[in-house]
């Protein structure tokens, strides 16, 4: 089961272009959704031809994204477990 989302937001940093081990382009966007103290931060992964276009985006650009949302878990450099939302 997946949860589909669509939203407008703004970039908190320049887009990060990557190449997968399989040689495919993908781009990570850090997107803020909401206003003032109610901003939620999402990591958005963009693949294929759209990744090449997304790679040109800069901090502060307004974006529209849609895809499947999931909760990620990782350990920070301080060994504390963290959680965050991502969209692909």
């Amino acid at each position: 089961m997946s949860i589909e989302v669509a939203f407008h937001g703004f970039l908190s940093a320049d887009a990060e272009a990557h190449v997968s081990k399989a040689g495919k382009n993908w781009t990570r966007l850090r997107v803020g959704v909401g206003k003032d103290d109610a901003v939620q931060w999402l990591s958005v992964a963009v693949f294929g031809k759209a990744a090449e276009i997304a790679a040109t985006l800069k901090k502060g650009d307004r974006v529209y994204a849609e895809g499947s949302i999931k909760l990620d878990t990782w350990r920070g450099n301080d060994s504390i477990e963290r959680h965050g939302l991502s969209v692909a």
Side-chain angles (χ1 to χ4, degrees):
M1 180 178 116
S2 67
I3 299 171
E4 297 296 314
V5 296
F7 55 88
H8 288 274
F10 58 92
L11 296 186
S12 65
D14 292 350
E16 303 169 19
H18 300 276
V19 178
S20 71
K21 291 179 184 176
K24 305 218 181 215
N25 292 332
W26 71 280
T27 299
R28 176 180 298 149
L29 304 175
R30 310 267 185 212
V31 182
V33 180
K35 291 184 181 181
D36 303 323
D37 293 338
V39 174
Q40 296 295 312
W41 298 100
L42 298 157
S43 178
V44 177
V46 183
F47 300 95
K49 182 69 174 170
E52 295 174 27
I53 297 165
T56 65
L57 296 171
K58 301 291 182 198
K59 180 178 180 176
D61 286 348
R62 186 165 167 82
V63 296
Y64 171 80
E66 58 184 56
S68 298
I69 195 166
K70 69 177 189 167
L71 178 64
D72 291 326
T73 302
W74 69 93
R75 291 209 177 269
N77 293 338
D78 54 7
S79 298
I80 294 175
E81 187 172 275
R82 302 183 190 280
H83 305 280
L85 297 174
S86 66
V87 177

